[in-house]
Amino acid sequence: MKEKTRTALFWFILIQPFLDLYWLYNGKLATILPFTLPTIIRILAVGILIGMFFSKKDSWQKLNKQKWLIAYLILLVVYSIFHLLHVRHFNSVNPNDYNYSTISEIFYLIRMFLPLSVIYFTRELEFTQEDFKKVIMGLSGLFSFTIVISNLFLISLRSYGDGFISANVFEWFFNQNIGYSHIASKGFFNFANMVSAILFMLLPLMLYFMFKEFNWKIVTLNAVQALAMLEIGTKVAAIGLIAGIIITLLIYFIHRFLIKNVHKNTQAVLAALIIEIASLAILPFSPAIQRYNYEIYLAHQSDHELKDETKELETGLKKYPQGKKRQEFLRTFIKENYHSYALNEKFVTKSYSYQYDPEFWLSIMKQPGETRMQNRYLERAMLDKVVATNNNKLDKFMGISYTRETNIFNLERDFTSQIYSLGWFGMILFIGPYVAILAYGILKWILNKNKRTYLITSILTAMVFMLAAAFSSGNVMDFLTASFILAFVSGFLLKEFAGESRTQRLFK
């Protein structure tokens, strides 16, 4: 049964890209059931894995000996109960309470638990290094080839906005006026940020395989992944590619010349350098750079072209210094001029509507253009205002609920996002294990010379990349495609730190 459970988990992780297809979260397929189809499939799959794993008596006996794990599970249950009780009552300017739903919140808590169980199963099922290699290479190929091929035939979805791209990678070099939103490609996947984070995490592992065993198959996979990271058009993917290759090369040289536990591989070094040089040559034409330049231009234009709006605003505020007339004037002014201030329409009209709190948006309009252009600044400002309106000290520890937070706007900065939705207690319980495993791995690496293998260093680097991407761009830890893959890598790391592996025992 253990072999069957291992095989089931192997394929479950490998199909994660298929469960992230855009159409499963949008359109008719997303509304067939009360919750999205991929989430239901994942819950059922993890339920089956739990049933298979604990169908053997020795699995239960081992769990009973792991007192720390039982205590952690009890803490999760206790926290979840208190969290649900806490977030039921909320004061807000929004009459529909940001569409809070207890059922949706329970569903979210279950979702957050699922990857944690995968960490445990991956650790206990003792995947071999060959199994790990097949999963990582399979994931890289599925994500990367989908993005690159769909870009080539102009059938890729845009990373920014709706619809399909207007030009493929070859046209980047001949027409710089297309606009970054028309050329940034995310394949057929749902969130560009999340796919970027996954590819960033896979990068050091893919390069590790190339340095470990050089062949044209792995070189091709690395080259295609590099191109996909440029085509997706996010800063995490573009900067992560350039910096990631350099960091990975440094890691190889450290193991080659200082730790001295890897063999010379000149071909792999040359291949990595060629991919790096080619990426640097393409980068200036990429959608990530175009987006960066456009945002700078828009911020300057926003500041330089507001003389008429500023005069109108000052005149209106003098005429209506307070009361209902002031509120009516502000609502009208914001509705007619928020575009001039380069404010995100969704933020102003839906996330935290100007209709309910025009004074808040007045304070935002008074900020410099560069500040108003920073989505993460506005996201936090809206959430801070919501928390301040509720005025409950326990929000800091128990959160305001994931349902409310995402209905306002999903903050693009993981860890901080979970502090708002789950509070400090919930963030530590649900997100903390990934950081704890990373910290444990680094400590083990430092203290135990036998654990300073090239593979373990590469896994630790991959986890740092993923967590850094999560903090930088968000949309990672709350989304199961990314968190399941991170959980699998985390569980495999723990297995590498354990005693002798299944493979070692087989060769005794």
Side-chain angles (χ1 to χ4, degrees):
M1 183 57 73
K2 197 171 184 179
E3 284 289 341
K4 290 181 179 178
T5 309
R6 187 186 301 114
T7 302
L9 181 55
F10 175 93
W11 286 106
F12 175 64
I13 299 300
L14 205 52
I15 67 167
Q16 292 307 307
F18 298 105
L19 296 177
D20 191 54
L21 295 177
Y22 175 84
W23 295 281
L24 296 176
Y25 297 87
N26 300 272
K28 291 182 179 180
L29 282 175
T31 57
I32 292 174
L33 298 168
F35 303 103
T36 58
L37 192 59
T39 303
I40 293 171
I41 291 172
R42 284 163 170 148
I43 289 174
L44 291 173
V46 172
I48 292 169
L49 286 169
I50 291 172
M52 292 174 70
F53 184 82
F54 288 108
S55 63
K56 292 191 70 176
K57 190 177 180 180
D58 60 340
S59 297
W60 282 106
Q61 290 172 341
K62 189 170 184 178
L63 180 62
N64 288 331
K65 294 177 182 178
Q66 296 170 322
K67 303 298 182 186
W68 62 271
L69 181 57
I70 295 172
Y72 171 69
L73 293 173
I74 291 171
L75 273 176
L76 280 180
V77 173
V78 171
Y79 162 79
S80 298
I81 291 169
F82 279 99
H83 170 76
L84 292 169
L85 291 173
H86 168 71
V87 298
R88 280 192 312 166
H89 307 290
F90 201 80
N91 299 313
S92 68
V93 296
N94 191 313
N96 66 6
D97 193 21
Y98 308 107
N99 294 313
Y100 173 74
S101 165
T102 299
I103 294 175
S104 295
E105 195 67 13
I106 292 171
F107 209 63
Y108 169 70
L109 295 172
I110 294 171
R111 278 173 44 204
M112 293 298 286
F113 169 75
L114 298 179
L116 298 175
S117 66
V118 167
I119 295 176
Y120 180 75
F121 293 142
T122 306
R123 159 66 184 83
E124 295 297 323
L125 292 170
E126 296 184 345
F127 282 84
T128 65
Q129 291 184 11
E130 186 62 26
D131 293 333
F132 183 71
K133 178 182 177 181
K134 288 177 181 177
V135 171
I136 298 302
M137 289 179 64
L139 290 170
S140 173
L142 287 169
F143 279 115
S144 301
F145 274 101
T146 300
I147 293 169
V148 170
I149 293 172
S150 63
N151 173 280
L152 184 64
F153 291 100
L154 298 178
I155 56 174
S156 172
L157 295 168
R158 296 182 187 179
S159 297
Y160 305 100
D162 299 322
F164 297 93
I165 58 171
S166 304
N168 65 22
V169 63
F170 294 110
E171 295 183 64
W172 295 3
F173 308 98
F174 305 106
N175 187 355
Q176 283 284 295
N177 298 316
I178 301 173
Y180 73 89
S181 65
H182 292 272
I183 59 175
S185 314
K186 64 178 180 180
F188 306 129
F189 304 111
N190 197 30
F191 282 107
N193 277 358
M194 186 188 68
V195 177
S196 299
I198 292 171
L199 292 176
F200 187 32
M201 182 184 74
L202 296 179
L203 181 66
L205 297 173
M206 291 297 295
L207 287 168
Y208 161 79
F209 297 134
M210 186 172 75
F211 281 107
K212 195 71 176 174
E213 186 183 350
F214 184 87
N215 58 65
W216 291 110
K217 177 183 177 182
I218 189 66
V219 172
T220 302
L221 274 173
N222 273 283
V224 172
Q225 178 169 326
L227 182 56
M229 292 177 76
L230 290 171
E231 289 181 347
I232 203 166
T234 64
K235 292 176 185 176
V236 164
I239 296 172
L241 172 64
I242 303 302
I245 294 175
I246 294 172
I247 292 169
T248 305
L249 279 167
L250 288 174
I251 289 170
Y252 168 75
F253 289 131
I254 288 170
H255 279 274
R256 174 79 177 87
F257 297 108
L258 295 180
I259 302 177
K260 297 181 179 179
N261 59 357
V262 297
H263 298 295
K264 181 181 179 181
N265 195 333
T266 306
Q267 288 178 306
V269 172
L270 288 173
L273 288 172
I274 290 169
I275 292 172
E276 177 78 349
I277 293 167
S279 300
L280 285 168
I282 297 171
L283 185 63
F285 304 94
S286 69
I289 297 300
Q290 284 197 36
R291 183 191 179 200
Y292 174 73
N293 293 334
Y294 177 74
E295 286 177 347
I296 293 175
Y297 166 79
L298 196 59
H300 289 314
Q301 287 296 104
S302 177
D303 273 342
H304 294 160
E305 298 178 356
L306 291 172
K307 292 180 181 179
D308 294 339
E309 289 84 357
T310 301
K311 184 177 180 180
E312 180 186 349
L313 179 60
E314 290 175 350
T315 302
L317 292 176
K318 285 181 181 178
K319 186 176 180 181
Y320 308 113
Q322 57 186 1
K324 289 184 177 181
K325 292 282 188 180
R326 175 187 171 94
Q327 301 298 305
E328 290 173 4
F329 163 73
L330 283 175
R331 289 188 185 99
T332 302
F333 178 82
I334 293 167
K335 181 179 179 181
E336 294 175 352
N337 295 286
Y338 69 85
H339 280 301
S340 301
Y341 286 83
L343 292 173
N344 187 314
E345 180 180 1
K346 186 174 181 180
F347 289 171
V348 179
T349 62
K350 295 180 181 178
S351 297
Y352 191 73
S353 176
Y354 72 95
Q355 295 283 359
Y356 306 128
D357 192 356
E359 294 288 348
F360 168 79
W361 288 108
L362 173 63
S363 69
I364 296 297
M365 287 175 165
K366 292 179 179 179
Q367 299 292 330
E370 189 174 345
T371 302
R372 297 194 306 270
M373 286 290 297
Q374 294 176 16
N375 279 351
R376 288 171 184 82
Y377 168 79
L378 292 181
E379 290 160 11
R380 289 198 66 170
M382 290 187 294
L383 290 168
D384 284 339
K385 183 66 174 173
V386 170
V387 172
T389 302
N390 188 45
N391 193 25
N392 189 328
K393 291 181 180 179
L394 284 177
D395 287 345
K396 184 177 181 180
F397 305 101
M398 304 301 293
I400 64 172
S401 84
Y402 173 78
T403 312
R404 288 192 186 93
E405 187 209 346
T406 51
N407 284 333
I408 296 165
F409 198 86
N410 194 27
L411 178 62
E412 296 172 288
R413 178 147 287 166
D414 282 337
F415 300 100
T416 304
S417 173
Q418 285 80 32
I419 291 171
Y420 280 106
S421 60
L422 297 171
W424 274 99
F425 290 159
M427 188 277 288
I428 291 171
L429 285 171
F430 284 103
I431 306 299
Y434 303 100
V435 180
I437 291 169
L438 175 62
Y440 170 78
I442 293 172
L443 188 63
K444 274 279 200 180
W445 191 95
I446 293 170
L447 298 177
N448 190 338
K449 289 183 179 180
N450 295 327
K451 298 303 180 184
R452 293 176 198 167
T453 67
Y454 186 22
L455 174 59
I456 286 177
T457 307
S458 298
I459 293 173
L460 290 171
T461 305
M463 291 181 66
V464 169
F465 282 7
M466 174 66 102
L467 294 176
F471 179 77
S472 173
S473 65
N475 294 328
V476 175
M477 306 308 294
D478 284 337
F479 294 86
L480 291 177
T481 303
S483 56
F484 270 127
I485 295 170
L486 176 59
F488 177 76
V489 172
S490 302
F492 186 78
L493 177 69
L494 292 177
K495 191 276 298 183
E496 287 293 294
F497 282 128
E500 62 181 15
S501 68
R502 174 168 59 99
T503 306
Q504 290 170 325
R505 291 199 300 271
L506 286 173
F507 285 94
K508 276 193 171 184

